[in-house]
């Protein structure tokens, strides 16, 4: 446990020094807070520069949340994967892991510390982004009454842990940052492809990022998120356990 705590502290300091935390936080915050404004004023911008194109429908609060989930699931999580895609490759290139392990640091502590720091960073960034989106949406549409906004955000936040588990496994298996990111993107893309298969769609974790607006609008119930949520959490544990197992056998 002491080794794990020490490595967590080392990771936090390192991620502060290389601005990884700051960059991720800024990306999430900007796209979270700008979601409501984009939804509100994009029609006016299009009308002004669209050579006579006119938008007839007035934007509503639901449009702001649609923009938020689109931004976070696309740009936000992509930035998260790219920024932390080098979490192991930099250690391999410097040779620090070999030194620490030979001094008695347990290998599982390395993986868990990396996972913990990345998860905390993602969590803080996501919920700050959500609070910003919530505040500005309420400011622009004070009379809007929407249900299940927080649960829909909760489900999207939870799939971030699945993405992180896949990324950590990729970082253990491959020493190159690009290959780790490509591995993660490939697994996520596979989930998206499988989501079109009817028997599997009800179990697919992709539901947690694709049906959020439907949950807010009442088109689907929260029970339809339950099985994908459980599957997502189980897969998170499986990928993380696979990463620990692979790292235990890896030659440093």
């Amino acid at each position: 446990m002491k080794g794990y705590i020490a490595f967590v502290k080392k990771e936090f300091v390192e991620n502060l020094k290389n601005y990884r935390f700051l960059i991720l936080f800024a990306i999430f915050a900007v796209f979270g807070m700008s979601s409501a404004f984009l939804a509100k004023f994009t029609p006016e911008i299009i009308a002004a520069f669209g050579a006579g194109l006119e938008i007839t429908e007035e934007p509503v609060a639901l449009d702001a949340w649609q923009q938020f989930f689109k931004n976070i699931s696309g740009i936000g999580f992509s930035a998260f994967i790219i920024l932390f895609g080098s979490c192991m490759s930099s250690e391999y290139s410097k040779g620090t892991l070999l030194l620490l392990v030979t001094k008695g640091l347990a290998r599982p502590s390395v993986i868990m510390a990396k996972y913990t720091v990345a998860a905390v960073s993602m969590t803080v960034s996501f919920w700050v982004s959500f609070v910003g989106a919530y505040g500005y949406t309420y400011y622009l549409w004070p009379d809007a009454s929407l249900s299940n906004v927080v649960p829909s955000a909760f489900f999207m936040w939870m799939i971030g842990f699945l993405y992180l588990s896949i990324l950590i496994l990729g970082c253990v298996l491959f020493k190159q940052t690009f290959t780790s990111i490509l591995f993660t993107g490939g697994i996520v893309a596979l989930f998206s492809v499988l989501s079109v298969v009817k028997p599997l769609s009800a179990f697919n974790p992709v539901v947690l990022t694709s049906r959020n607006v439907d949950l807010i609008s009442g088109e689907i119930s929260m029970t339809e998120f339950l099985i994908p949520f459980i599957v997502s959490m189980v897969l998170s544990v499986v990928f993380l356990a696979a990463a620990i197992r692979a790292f235990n056998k890896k030659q440093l």
Side-chain angles (χ1 to χ4, degrees):
M1 182 59 72
K2 289 183 179 179
Y4 164 76
I5 295 174
F7 203 78
V8 165
K9 291 179 180 178
K10 174 256 184 190
E11 283 294 299
F12 269 115
V13 172
E14 184 175 303
N15 282 282
L16 286 171
K17 287 183 177 179
N18 61 22
Y19 302 107
R20 189 178 284 158
F21 282 164
L22 180 61
I23 294 171
L24 184 67
F25 182 86
I27 291 172
F28 270 77
V30 168
F31 282 100
M33 291 186 290
S34 65
S35 298
F37 286 100
L38 287 173
K40 181 73 174 179
F41 299 112
T42 294
E44 296 181 16
I45 296 173
I46 293 176
F49 297 98
L53 183 64
E54 194 171 326
I55 307 297
T56 57
E57 293 185 6
E58 186 71 19
V60 295
L62 191 63
D63 295 324
W65 287 115
Q66 185 173 26
Q67 187 70 47
F68 170 78
F69 291 120
K70 180 181 178 181
N71 289 343
I72 299 304
S73 64
I75 300 172
F77 281 133
S78 294
F80 174 56
I81 291 170
I82 292 171
L83 284 170
F84 283 90
S86 60
C87 67
M88 294 294 289
S89 60
S90 58
E91 302 280 8
Y92 291 141
S93 61
K94 295 175 183 177
T96 53
L97 289 179
L98 178 60
L99 179 63
L100 291 171
V101 168
T102 54
K103 286 188 174 182
L105 179 65
R107 289 193 176 216
S109 295
V110 174
I111 301 302
M112 292 307 302
K114 296 277 185 183
Y115 186 90
T116 299
V117 172
V120 170
S121 178
M122 182 270 294
T123 296
V124 172
S125 300
F126 179 88
W127 287 110
V128 167
S129 174
F130 172 79
V131 170
Y134 191 95
Y136 281 112
T137 300
Y138 179 79
Y139 173 77
L140 294 172
W141 290 277
D143 299 326
S145 179
L146 298 174
S147 59
N148 295 325
V149 172
V150 174
S152 63
F154 170 80
F155 287 124
M156 177 164 284
W157 167 56
M158 293 306 293
I159 204 171
F161 293 95
L162 174 57
Y163 293 164
L164 177 57
S165 297
I166 299 170
L167 178 63
I168 292 294
L169 176 58
C171 290
V172 171
L173 295 177
F174 309 102
K175 292 187 176 182
Q176 297 80 15
T177 300
F178 175 76
T179 312
S180 303
I181 295 172
L182 191 63
F183 172 81
T184 307
I187 299 296
V188 174
L190 179 61
F191 286 142
S192 298
V193 171
L194 292 176
S195 67
V196 302
V197 180
K198 285 293 182 181
L200 300 177
S201 58
F203 304 89
N204 201 307
V206 171
V207 171
L208 304 183
T209 63
S210 62
R211 305 297 304 276
N212 310 81
V213 176
D214 294 336
L215 179 61
I216 295 175
S217 64
E219 291 185 23
I220 62 175
S221 65
M222 204 177 304
T223 55
E224 295 185 47
F225 277 72
L226 183 59
I227 294 179
F229 169 72
I230 294 173
V231 171
S232 178
M233 292 302 97
V234 170
L235 288 176
S236 296
V237 174
V238 169
F239 280 112
L240 185 58
I244 293 174
R245 182 178 178 84
F247 188 64
N248 285 338
K249 295 181 177 181
K250 193 174 185 68
Q251 184 175 359
L252 300 178

